Amino acid sequence: MEKKQERALLVGLNITSTARRIDDIDINESMEELKELAKAAGAEVVGSLIQNKQTRDAAFYVGKGKVEEIKAYCDSLDATMVVFNDELSGAHIRNIEEVVGIKVIDRTTLILDIFAQRALTKEGKLQVEIAQLKYRLPRLSGMGGALGKTGAGIGARGPGEQKLELDKRHILNKAADIRQELREIKKVRETQRVQRLKSNIPIVAIVGYTNAGKSTLLNELIKTHKDYEKEKEVLSKDMLFATLDVTLRKALLPNKKEFLVVDTVGFVSKLPHDLVEAFKATLEEVHYADLILHVIDSTNSSYELQRKTTESVLKELGANDKKTILVYNKIDRLDLDIYPKNSDEAIYISAKKGTNMEELLQIIEDAIMENTYDVTLLLPYERGDIFSRVKDKYNVENFEYGEIGITLDVKLMEEDYNIYKEYILEK
C-alpha cells in the first residue's frame, strides 16, 4: 500500500522589532528555503503564512489569534501538518496542536528528519540519532500528547525507529550507548587519518551551502585521476542535503601530483546546533585540510547570506583560519555571461559543464604548492627507498644515474624539504 504524501502548511514569524531579532535573514528567503526543506523531506507544500509581530508569543509563538487563523487555513487546504520556520519549545508545540488539531513540527525537526532519511553509513545514522535524542530530551515535559505518536511520517522517523514516548532515563541511556559507539568509530577514523597524514598527500576539503554543487564538483575533480571509475562518483542531485556522509577521493593536479578531495555535509541557515555538534567528529576532516574550496551557488539571490552562513559554521568548527578559495558555481545558469575575473581567491565555474575546471585545478595547485622548494636531490644508491618515495609522490620523470647516486630535480613540499634536507645539492 502506497504511503499518502503529507500536506504541509508553512508558518513563519517575522520579528519586526530590530532589538528582538536574532539574525538578518530575510523572512521571504527563509520561507522559500523552508519550502525546499519540506519538499526534500517528502511533503507537499499546500500553503504558506507569515506573521509580522514585534516579539514571540510566550504561549502560542505567533499569537492565539494567528493560530486560530492557521487552523481555518489548514481545514480549507486539507493540510495534515504545520511546519514552523523556527525552533519551538515543547509547550509551544502542545499549545498549537491543541488548537489546530493536526501535527505541528518546527524547522529543526524537519532538518533532522531529512538527515534521518539521507544518512547511509552507520556513523551518519548514529550522529543523526544522537542529535534527535538531544533535541527531544528538553521537550518531553512540554509536548504532552505528542509523545504518544509513534507512527511514520515527517518528524517521527529516524535511525533505529526511535519512539517519541521514550522517557528521559531511556533517552539518556540510549544517548550514552550511541556516544560509546561513535567513540569507537572515531578511533578507527583517526587511525585512517594518521595513515593519510603520514603519506603527506595534500588534502582539499569542499564545503558550502547545501545544493551549491559540492558533490558535482568532487565528481569532476576525481576524473583527473588515472584510477577514476564511474562507480567512485558520489550522488549528485538538485536537492537539499542529497549527500550527508563525508567522502574522500583521489584527484590529480596539473603537475600530476596526487591530492585527496574531501566532500562534506552541506550547511543551511538555522542549522540545528545539536546537528552541528553531532557532525563535528565527521567534519574534523576540514581541520586537517591543506586547502578549503568554499562552493557558492552563483545563481542564488541570497548567495552572500549563504556564504556568511557557511563561514559561521566553519568558525564554530574552528576551521575559519584555513586558506580558502571561493568557488562560484553554476555560472552556466546565469542570464548574462558576465562575472568578475578569476583570481587566486575566487573563481567562477560550472562543475556540471566543466567550465573553468582547468583554471580551478591550476589555482588549487598554486595554493597547495605555495610553500614548496625547487631543489636538486642527490640520493645515494643505498637510499633507493627515498628515491622511490619521492619519485612516486611527486611524479618525477627526469632523473640521472651518476657515479655516487641518483640526481633528480623536484619541487618539495615544506615537510619533505625538512626531511630530505641533507640530500639537497647547493646551487
Side-chain angles (χ1 to χ4, degrees), residues 234-375:
V234 296
L235 176 66
S236 174
K237 278 190 176 182
D238 186 13
M239 64 191 299
L240 303 187
F241 301 118
T243 53
L244 286 184
D245 301 299
V246 171
T247 306
L248 288 98
R249 297 287 188 272
K250 287 182 178 180
L252 283 184
L253 296 170
N255 64 5
K256 304 304 178 185
K257 179 178 173 55
E258 274 189 343
F259 69 100
L260 279 175
V261 191
V262 183
D263 186 19
T264 60
V265 63
F267 304 134
V268 69
S269 64
K270 303 181 184 180
L271 191 65
H273 179 74
D274 287 341
L275 207 52
V276 175
E277 281 294 316
F279 275 79
K280 264 187 178 178
T282 305
L283 291 167
E284 277 179 357
E285 297 295 346
V286 178
H287 280 282
Y288 297 92
D290 299 285
L291 177 69
I292 291 177
L293 301 183
H294 179 172
V295 183
I296 300 166
D297 181 356
S298 63
T299 66
N300 194 297
S301 59
S302 304
Y303 71 86
E304 276 300 312
L305 172 64
Q306 294 185 355
R307 179 179 64 81
K308 290 176 182 176
T309 298
T310 300
E311 288 173 350
S312 69
V313 177
L314 287 174
K315 186 174 182 179
E316 189 174 346
L317 293 167
N320 55 313
D321 58 346
K322 292 281 183 181
K323 183 173 178 60
T324 303
I325 298 170
L326 299 179
V327 182
Y328 291 90
N329 192 24
K330 305 184 183 181
I331 61 171
D332 56 302
R333 295 187 185 179
L334 295 177
D335 293 333
L336 297 173
D337 190 22
I338 301 173
Y339 36 84
K341 187 178 179 182
N342 295 330
S343 68
D344 291 342
E345 288 78 34
I347 183 169
Y348 294 77
I349 71 163
S350 168
K352 188 175 182 180
K353 301 290 185 181
T355 308
N356 285 341
M357 287 301 298
E358 290 183 5
E359 289 85 348
L360 173 60
L361 280 163
Q362 189 58 58
I363 290 174
I364 293 172
E365 179 183 306
D366 293 343
I368 289 175
M369 305 303 287
E370 191 173 46
N371 295 322
T372 58
Y373 302 84
D374 281 310
V375 300

Side-chain angles (χ1 to χ4, degrees), residues 5 19 109 193 245 300 393 404:
Q5 186 180 26
T109 303
R193 185 185 295 130
D245 301 299
N300 194 297
K393 180 176 179 179
I404 59 173

Side-chain angles (χ1 to χ4, degrees), residues 375-379 381 387-388 390-392 394-402 405-410:
V375 300
T376 299
L377 295 178
L378 175 58
L379 300 173
Y381 285 111
F387 172 67
S388 297
V390 172
K391 180 175 176 292
D392 292 343
Y394 292 94
N395 292 286
V396 178
E397 295 180 353
N398 297 317
F399 48 88
E400 294 181 2
Y401 293 100
I406 308 169
T407 305
L408 62 158
D409 294 323
V410 64

Side-chain angles (χ1 to χ4, degrees), residues 48-148:
S48 179
L49 288 174
I50 295 175
Q51 167 74 319
N52 295 307
K53 195 170 167 53
Q54 280 204 330
T55 186
R56 298 161 187 78
D57 184 79
F60 292 92
Y61 198 73
V62 291
K64 180 74 178 294
K66 194 66 177 181
V67 171
E68 290 172 347
E69 182 184 332
I70 290 169
K71 173 177 170 49
Y73 209 33
C74 287
D75 292 342
S76 66
L77 294 171
D78 193 27
T80 60
M81 66 184 296
V82 181
V83 184
F84 278 75
N85 192 36
D86 295 297
E87 190 169 295
L88 302 178
S89 68
H92 281 138
I93 293 172
R94 181 195 64 213
N95 294 340
I96 297 168
E97 280 190 342
E98 285 177 354
V99 176
V100 300
I102 59 175
K103 179 169 60 177
V104 174
I105 67 171
D106 58 17
R107 185 186 181 97
T108 297
T109 303
L110 189 64
I111 294 174
L112 287 170
D113 188 273
I114 296 169
F115 273 57
Q117 294 181 55
R118 304 281 166 76
L120 298 177
T121 64
K122 181 180 180 181
E123 182 178 21
K125 290 176 181 178
L126 290 172
Q127 286 166 333
V128 174
E129 191 171 6
I130 195 76
Q132 288 177 319
L133 292 173
K134 287 177 70 175
Y135 170 79
R136 288 170 181 166
L137 186 58
R139 290 167 174 77
L140 285 178
S141 58
M143 292 176 70
L147 295 176

Side-chain angles (χ1 to χ4, degrees), residues 150-193:
T150 60
I154 295 170
R157 78 186 115 211
E161 295 300 316
Q162 285 297 320
K163 292 184 170 55
L164 293 178
E165 71 269 14
L166 287 168
D167 59 23
K168 289 185 178 180
R169 186 177 298 280
H170 190 177
I171 287 181
L172 290 170
N173 290 339
K174 182 68 175 174
D177 291 341
I178 293 173
R179 288 193 186 95
Q180 181 56 40
E181 285 191 73
L182 286 171
R183 279 193 287 270
E184 295 300 321
I185 293 172
K186 185 179 180 180
K187 286 180 185 176
V188 174
R189 191 174 59 249
E190 285 176 345
T191 301
Q192 294 170 340
R193 185 185 295 130

